[in-house]
Amino acid sequence: MKKNMSQQDKLIRVVISFIIAVLYYYNIISGIMGIVLMVGAIILLLTSLFRFCPIYKLIGYSSCKK
């Protein structure tokens, strides 16, 4: 997997995941919507961990500097 995500993109994904996790922890979001958002947060964290986004690959986009 070739990296296609910049550091700024990675940071944004981690911050969004953290915010979703905090909102879920304090029961501000709950139920089905909370579960869906937590799954999305986990996906964002995994993509930022590997610095590879499959959707970017599909559309031929890369936020990395060349």
Side-chain angles (χ1 to χ4, degrees):
M1 291 184 297
K2 185 178 178 184
K3 295 179 183 176
N4 63 2
M5 191 183 307
S6 68
Q7 281 295 113
Q8 184 179 11
D9 196 358
K10 180 179 175 178
L11 178 65
I12 291 169
R13 290 171 186 251
V14 169
V15 169
I16 290 171
S17 297
F18 179 74
I19 291 169
I20 291 171
V22 169
L23 291 174
Y24 187 78
Y25 180 77
Y26 287 109
N27 290 323
I28 296 172
I29 54 173
S30 61
I32 298 296
M33 181 58 91
I35 293 170
V36 169
L37 287 174
M38 281 302 293
V39 168
I42 291 168
I43 291 170
L44 287 175
L45 278 175
L46 287 174
T47 58
S48 66
L49 177 68
F50 295 110
R51 291 186 64 187
F52 177 78
C53 180
I55 295 174
Y56 283 1
K57 178 76 171 173
L58 285 175
I59 63 174
Y61 177 77
S62 176
S63 61
C64 287
K65 293 181 181 177
K66 297 189 181 194

